[in-house]
Amino acid sequence: MSAPTFSWMIGGPQGSGINLGAEILARVMSRLGYYVFGNIEYHSNIKGKHSYYRLRAADRPVHSHIEEVHLLTALDEETLIGDLYHEFPGHRGHVEQVAPGGGILLEPDRVEGVRRRLDGRDVHLYVIPYGEAVHQALSLAGKGGQAHEYRIMNNTAAIGASAALLGVPFDPLAEVILSGFHGKARRVGETNVHCARFAYEYAQKEFKDLRFKLPPKPRRARDDKQIMLKGTQAVAIAKLKAGCGLQTYYPISPATDESVYLEGQQSQYNLVVLQTEDEVSAIDAAVMAAHGGVRASTSTSGPGFALMPEGLGFSAITEAPGPVVVNYQRGGPSTGLPTRHEQGDLRFALHAGQGDIPRIVIAPGDLSECFYDTFDSFNYADRYQVPVILLLDKHLAAMYATVPRFDTSGLKIDRGELFDPAQRDGRYYRYRFTESGISPRALPGQAGGIFWTTTDEHDQVGHITEGIGNRLTMMRKRMGKLELVEKEIPDEKKFALYGSPQAPIRVVSWGSTKGAILDALGRLDPEGKRYAFLQIRFLQPFPAKQLQALLRGAQKIVCLESNYSAQLAGVLREKTDIRADHKVLKYDGQPFSEDEVVAALEATEAGAGEEVLVSEGKVVSAATYGPEQVDKLVELKEKSGKMAPPMVPLPPGYNR
Amino acid sequence: MSAPTFSWMIGGPQGSGINLGAEILARVMSRLGYYVFGNIEYHSNIKGKHSYYRLRAADRPVHSHIEEVHLLTALDEETLIGDLYHEFPGHRGHVEQVAPGGGILLEPDRVEGVRRRLDGRDVHLYVIPYGEAVHQALSLAGKGGQAHEYRIMNNTAAIGASAALLGVPFDPLAEVILSGFHGKARRVGETNVHCARFAYEYAQKEFKDLRFKLPPKPRRARDDKQIMLKGTQAVAIAKLKAGCGLQTYYPISPATDESVYLEGQQSQYNLVVLQTEDEVSAIDAAVMAAHGGVRASTSTSGPGFALMPEGLGFSAITEAPGPVVVNYQRGGPSTGLPTRHEQGDLRFALHAGQGDIPRIVIAPGDLSECFYDTFDSFNYADRYQVPVILLLDKHLAAMYATVPRFDTSGLKIDRGELFDPAQRDGRYYRYRFTESGISPRALPGQAGGIFWTTTDEHDQVGHITEGIGNRLTMMRKRMGKLELVEKEIPDEKKFALYGSPQAPIRVVSWGSTKGAILDALGRLDPEGKRYAFLQIRFLQPFPAKQLQALLRGAQKIVCLESNYSAQLAGVLREKTDIRADHKVLKYDGQPFSEDEVVAALEATEAGAGEEVLVSEGKVVSAATYGPEQVDKLVELKEKSGKMAPPMVPLPPGYNR
Amino acid sequence: MATTTAPQLTAKTYKSEVHNDWCPGCGDFGIVIALQMALAKLQITPHNVAVVSGIGCSGKTPHYMGTYGFHTLHGRVLPSVTGLKLANHRLTVIGVGGDGDGYGIGVGHFVSGGRRNLDFTYLVFNNDVYALTKGQASPTIEKGKKTKSMADSSIVEAINPVALALASGYTFIARGYALEVKYLANLIAQAIQHRGSALVDIFQTCPTYNDLHSKSWYEGKDSGQPRLYKLDESDYDPVVHDPNDRAEVAQKKAQALLKSEEPSGRLPLGVFYQLEVPTYEDCLREKGVLGHEPQARLGAVFQRDIQPLLDRLA
Amino acid sequence: MATTTAPQLTAKTYKSEVHNDWCPGCGDFGIVIALQMALAKLQITPHNVAVVSGIGCSGKTPHYMGTYGFHTLHGRVLPSVTGLKLANHRLTVIGVGGDGDGYGIGVGHFVSGGRRNLDFTYLVFNNDVYALTKGQASPTIEKGKKTKSMADSSIVEAINPVALALASGYTFIARGYALEVKYLANLIAQAIQHRGSALVDIFQTCPTYNDLHSKSWYEGKDSGQPRLYKLDESDYDPVVHDPNDRAEVAQKKAQALLKSEEPSGRLPLGVFYQLEVPTYEDCLREKGVLGHEPQARLGAVFQRDIQPLLDRLA
Ligand SMILES: Cc1ncc(C[n+]2csc(CCOP(=O)(O)OP(=O)(O)O)c2C)c(N)n1
Ligand SMILES: Cc1ncc(C[n+]2csc(CCOP(=O)(O)OP(=O)(O)O)c2C)c(N)n1
Ligand code: SF4
Ligand code: SF4
Ligand SMILES: [Mg+2]
Ligand SMILES: [Mg+2]
């Protein structure tokens, strides 16, 4: 059976290279012409804890994962049966997710446990001694005896065997593997290819009956201008394109990758990447760099963003042209779930900072929008002299997918109104009252442009005043810019309606849920008649009137988002007359799957209550589902007997 | 003419002691049996800038100021005609506020400028050489030659003369003056009394025709258990009563006075007041002290609160019993108007911190509620193991008014559920799942109570887990506490309706606007038939259902608050089906006066638009009023010729 | 403050049962074992100990300890320690955290927290990297150097923790090495016994990200000479003998500074500086603010009489 | 970096027209005049100067200067200076702020900002109090002391700014006195000329709140002997002559530390320490990250070609 979409998963301890392996396979499939969507789940841990990577490949664009797995590739026992060695185990492994007719690649000594868990279900076990593949490859390099030190290559073996089971030819796989090794490392690359080949051939020979295969032929040609990348890269590349001159950051998951990418480009692109002592410093330095004349940006996640309200106010009251602040949301509150997904910072982003603060808040919904919205944000910052917040999340940051190559031909830099000494009339006031509310800005170092600026309320010159007339005018000058934004920026940047404007049911959402919603609607309603999807990209200023118009007349409105309190639904209700009939929520730390959206929408049609919670692929009850799962795991553990936790050797030979 | 309410104002440069003087007069009037309401306006400056203090005395309770002044007491020129020495002046002085028939106490050389500004209006000028009074008093102390070094005593003279014009007997004045001087300082006190007496007698002799007088006889007796105090004191005393064991703070206007008051009580009351290095540290230390077993609190204002979202998340996810965080709102954004009033932090307080965070947010509306709400907050913190935010503001912090002595007889301490080793069943889990969502807490140092806690998502033991079932349960455990709060805390703590539940017009507001609204409604609608006032004290959890019920059937709903974006109106619209017909706003840095509320409500009846902005006592247009005032001041300045700014001597004899 | 009981407590007593998720061979194992040994040595009842950490690999320490454990926020170890200690000054409070945590984002608290001389012990797991975020440069990475995990070499002067602690008023300053566990346990025990703010900066190997300062580097495998040596094996005297003698204080500080910047490139372990002066708690007690009982146990505070305060407002 | 023009600029050139609202007799006046004199001495075009302040009485300084002026946030002088300087490294950037601002809430940035050795000058107006909030204890108030504005005496060890700056990597460390304006102007000029992070800690009288450290106290009116004296009038040599000689660096640091803690109680003014090493900008330039033109003027950045990056993702 060849599925229109093939779902593969690899799981293993952190540090075992599953991400590397999965991305190799993804690129191979993408190069073969498939549309690929990948995403990873991992713990806030460096080595040992369970992580897994899902890939979905199809002959049409796909933007989300599905629940069922056609081929599960396990590098360890936990991937299969869970972490039953904890006082309170966290999960039961992935064996149950494998579709009937699907298969599991695993090492010999794990078969028994898996069989017990499968309890007769129709799943093929493909037993493969990864170590053997590694050993063979190392032997060719004259290092056969060291196989136990090269467990890290197990993942290469797993990829090789997976490729064979999927029916992927070997050559492109070898090519992609080798492309990751340069110069002296070439030898290591070759050893990896050998390892993959051994496993590939072993699998071709030994394994036969996987019912699922990749779709027979991909619809697109290799040269149709698709690229494969992650959200952090899309944002970073957009910053480079926009002429960003200073990126500040303090390390934090899942934002760091963006800054690390930029660090790699510093000297090529005349961009300074500044690692600051904390996020307070990161935003303040960026605010002042913006005043100083460069485009400036900082990227962070919740705990770092929590240290930035001060800097947002600084930017806003001094009317700095920026910075662009990228917040990659992750599971909150507090440190929360550092490497997991959530869209929990919407309200915080809208309201961070004391007093009334003008700001623009944008949430791109996919990798392309990550690129274009980031590019535009710098124009907005310069033009409106406000901070711009981009709300991304862990899902967007780490998803790895095929997207059309970015089209840069229409991108224009707009630096906003600048002080021109030649056209000066009278004294230059940095905060001159103007009709638009925007005052041309001088750049420090410019002759004739000397100005003052203060975070206290100030007059047109930039000096402190507490005068009432001035106060009223300045408040309006600053806040009024949001009205200007609302007027000037075209609607297509602010929201989009997918599907028929006459569809009776409107799914309303924001940010990274877009992919799963589009996929789900494609499945539920291929004609696009019953459902339409309204994606809101501009959260501030909120395009209330337009949304109201688009939603009026709907039979049913379903808001869908990844947080506990239905934050978008709240904003919608505050700003429009629209009240969501259903709030579909997910806050278990993982992004929506296509199936979860489908299940939730079906539930709303079947008479579900106002709040619809999904988790693990289905609609669940908020009050009971969690505790039940906890209990079940404890039971499972008690039944299974003690599972050995991953062994952690102490530092070698330390002196007690 | 004796007014039912008498309005007095004193103005002078900062550092000239107007607050001391005004408060002396206030206490005298209060001791005489009047109800007194005072408030101060001052700059973020130590010496020299214009400040003024308003007092209103009446024979019935009063809770706000009015615009007109019956007697203006000026210690400097700026108080009279403004700060016309700036490139962009900030104000035009207070001469125009004096009611026809009112008077101005001033020094001889200022008469001419005032006459010009009065332009024939019926206002009496009471010319008095304060210096002479000071000189006389100092002579009695043998220091007659040093009068120029004692300009600071001018304010005593001004108070003396004011008292005479108001018809207040001298003895109580002398008594109150002296009560501020202890021990060796007694001599200085006496000199001050002499000074006041000289001015008093001078005024009695020279000045006759002030048309306004205090109401003939106050309605209450001296011993009817009234006290006079400020918001910072009410909060501080409540903290002591509640058993607060650690107060942390970092200095900031207008919050500091509370901590300084507590510092003075440290050793009497076994309270540790910790001045931290910043507000990040202030809240974190308080969170941990709460975990450690004491009741803990921190007080700050906007810029400090902006550094606390991190700490709020810390408290919430670790289910700390507190702290109680008091945010004295001031003019924002950023440093903004450090010593001015605003209610601009509502949305920020509701949403500060990444992710979904349980918190209680309460806004007391007057000095009594400051006391009781603060006391209760510690019970809530202990009982629900959440952070509690009290939203006060500069107006509440600094208002100085007569209120009924606090009744402590009904106050009970509730420390919530504590771990009892005797009743332990099985292992103690700090985060045990319970029906209520609340887990009994142990105190570090307790035998058998060892627990772990982390800002990462955790299991019942307190260890990190990213398991999905646990996550769902923990999110509900934490957020569900808000439902419990909603259920358990009686409605009368959450909101109050003043006036008839049948009144067609409902004024809805929160926090310190209460006083001006009550006074205005008393004037507009003494029978309480047309208007009712709904005061919302609990902002989180928001008593949506009850409010919805109370507002249903209203003909018109008017939300009134001191910020730009009508934050409460937004919350109301988000949480209920209620949409305010009018939003009355004020964001000029000053609290509402009774007159402004009256003017705004009259405007809504006369067909004003949805947004009604008030400033300087009247309804104004947001788009034009401010710029007009700025222009008028520049014109006035150009017309008046250069006004001399206050002289600022350089440091004496420094060595160039 | 150490509360002691009958000497039946062993290092194992202070171990929790949680699965440890540090990387194989991580130096952190050595530190946590040393801490357990130190507590056993001092026989402090586990429920009188609280271990308070920041965020990082190091931040997970409290979970591995069988004592009260607080895994707080990144960089906020010292504000947290301060609040807890003021709530209950009878607890033995031990702050632990990474070099990024303590000398990076938390360095403001490091300076301010030291100056109070509150009675706590602070262990910094110094591995030159932000490990949990995958190995970026931390404040202790040497200028010009680059670990395998860094994109490029550092162009920022490194923090010298000893010098910084001296300038910040710590009254006990020591340095240990994660893989010399017994020696480290001894230092930690001394730090706990010291009355006042005690810092133990600990060279910690991070085999995953820091390939520069590996076990073999510390052992001097490259240069043929061990890089580490012990101050207590020389005639170095870290103790200020007369705390009122400002000259001696200054001189002992200067001596410690010089030791911490030894041009030879050799790295001393041991106590660099020690000064006995009243603690913050002592000062509060002297002012009558703090009683003998911890704040947390003062039932009396709930019986406070505010009538005198109200009387003054009448 | 100093950009010079024909020598027609006087101290008055650097004065703005705003009404000054410091208290009569405030030491801040002396500092602002000294700064103006220093700029005049170096003949730096006003539009090439940016003065960046925090919040406090001291924070108002930029308004009184006829240069680009940024009155930022409380404690954030150095992050602000850093951002501005990286945007335009041709500007002469001068940070100013209070002791509360710099050594209290901003002390984390103080430490971290110094370590980079970015080319800026930082003037700390050190008056021992949080003046603008009405005189609470600041980090430099001596332990056991109490100004008239404090509720009680301090029980916290004071910051020694010189020691802290040494530990934080500042490469120019000096101390001035607000009321010795000419001498201070000279120090400030030296600090501006120094390539790297320069700190001038300035004893500033606050007649309104600080009655301890008044003009007459500094002059030693009570003890009969002036408390202040000048390092350059002794044979003290603050300069590290061979920056590559680690021993000399350490020794000069120890010497500065000892000087700053002189047991006599006398207080030296002047330069304590100076080291010439490459600045942060130099290092960035060496790596090819920073060009000769300031980032702010690099039109080229808006023409960037990202195609090679996209190619790699195909
Ligand atoms: C405010 C904030 N910023 C950033 C982070 C992300 N973060 C988690 S651990 C860590 C660094 C840890 O480094 P270190 O303190 O040296 O500890 P180590 O992991 O090396 O033990 C960072 C930056 C965070 N949790 N909070
Ligand atoms: C985050 C924050 N906390 C507190 C304040 C209040 N505040 C304003 S000025 C100041 C202290 C100023 O002291 P210092 O820095 O020594 O300057 P000085 O006034 O003495 O010149 C404080 C705490 C603030 N503006 N921002
Ligand atoms: S990354 Fe380094 S510090 Fe963290 S656990 Fe692994 S070895 Fe230890
Ligand atoms: S309070 Fe002190 S520092 Fe502030 S202006 Fe007055 S004298 Fe100067
Ligand atoms: Mg580290
Ligand atoms: Mg100061």
Side-chain angles (χ1 to χ4, degrees), chain B residues 269 310 405 446 453 455 463, chain C residues 68 72 76 305 307 311:
Chain B
Y269 285 92
E310 181 186 79
R405 188 174 171 122
Q446 207 172 4
T453 189
T455 58
H463 291 312
Chain C
Y68 281 93
T72 72
R76 315 304 176 205
D305 179 11
Q307 298 309 328
D311 288 345

Side-chain angles (χ1 to χ4, degrees), chain B residues 617-635:
Chain B
K618 53 191 177 295
V619 173
V620 302
S621 143
T624 58
Y625 185 75
E628 269 166 25
Q629 296 320 94
V630 172
D631 288 350
K632 275 192 198 157
L633 280 167
V634 172
E635 247 171 62

Side-chain angles (χ1 to χ4, degrees), chain D residues 147-167:
Chain D
T147 61
K148 63 181 171 185
S149 57
M150 287 163 59
D152 207 339
S153 57
S154 164
I155 57 173
V156 179
E157 198 59 47
I159 288 264
N160 170 345
V162 174
L164 191 65
L166 284 166

